Amino acid sequence: MDAVEVSAATAYCAFAYYNYVEIFCQKKIKKPWKKRRWWMKNIHRNRTTQTIENQFLELNFEPSGEFENLTHLNYTDFQYLLSKVSPIISKKDTHWRLAIPAKLRLAITLRYLATGDSLKSLHFLFKVSSEIISKIVPEVCTALVEV
C-alpha cells in the first residue's frame, strides 16, 4: 500500500467512526429532568399528630361507641395492644417528613382487618396514601403475631 491509499483508508475509518458515534448519541434519548409537581398530596399534608389524637379522643368520648365501631376494640384494649405492639411498629422521623405514629398504624390495620375495606377507602378515612397502607398492614399484622 502506498501513502495515498493508507491516508484514504485512515480518513474513511475516521469518517465511519464519527458517523457511528453521532448515530449512537442520537439513539440515546435524553429526557430533561422534570420537577415533581408535588411531594405529597394536599389531603396528606394536613395530617398531624394533634389531629389524629383529637380524632381518637373524640371517638373515645362519643357515647354511641364510635371508637369501637372504628377499630372493633374498646379504648382500653386498644391502648393495651398499642403498648405491646408500638416498640415493634414505630418508625423514626426523618428530615423530610414525620413518621406515621404507631397509634395510627394500629388503627389502620385493625380497621382493615375488621371491615375488609379497600385501601382507597382507608386512604380517605385516615389521610394516608394507599401505597403506604399496603405496607403498614402486613408489618403490623406480623407484629401482632409476634406479640
Side-chain angles (χ1 to χ4, degrees):
M1 283 179 129
D2 62 342
V4 176
E5 290 176 347
V6 170
S7 63
T10 306
Y12 180 72
C13 287
F15 180 71
Y17 179 74
Y18 175 76
N19 282 339
Y20 170 76
V21 169
E22 188 69 29
I23 290 170
F24 182 74
C25 288
Q26 286 177 357
K27 282 185 180 178
K28 276 188 180 177
I29 300 172
K30 295 182 180 179
K31 293 182 181 178
W33 183 74
K34 288 184 181 180
K35 185 178 179 186
R36 284 187 173 177
R37 292 186 306 185
W38 57 78
W39 179 265
M40 185 184 279
K41 291 183 180 178
N42 288 334
I43 188 173
H44 304 143
R45 283 190 187 144
N46 61 5
R47 177 191 73 222
T48 62
T49 18
Q50 290 81 20
T51 58
I52 294 164
E53 289 293 327
N54 290 341
Q55 183 181 12
F56 282 142
L57 287 175
E58 287 174 5
L59 288 173
N60 185 32
F61 292 121
E62 186 70 31
S64 60
E66 292 298 318
F67 187 82
E68 293 171 8
N69 231 358
L70 177 72
T71 60
H72 289 260
L73 286 175
N74 60 20
Y75 194 71
T76 54
D77 291 341
F78 180 81
Q79 289 296 336
Y80 174 75
L81 194 58
L82 181 65
S83 67
K84 295 288 187 184
V85 173
S86 70
I88 301 170
I89 64 173
S90 296
K91 302 289 182 184
K92 292 183 181 179
D93 294 337
T94 64
H95 296 292
W96 293 281
R97 66 177 71 116
L98 299 174
I100 298 171
K103 182 181 269 190
L104 184 60
R105 290 172 160 271
L106 182 61
I108 289 170
T109 304
L110 290 176
R111 179 69 182 180
Y112 178 77
L113 293 174
T115 62
D117 281 348
S118 69
L119 299 181
K120 277 292 185 191
S121 66
L122 292 173
H123 156 75
F124 291 116
L125 180 64
F126 290 103
K127 295 184 178 182
V128 176
S129 72
S130 51
E131 292 83 11
I132 298 297
I133 291 174
S134 70
K135 293 178 183 178
I136 287 175
V137 171
E139 288 175 4
V140 176
C141 286
T142 305
L144 288 172
V145 169
E146 287 178 23
V147 171

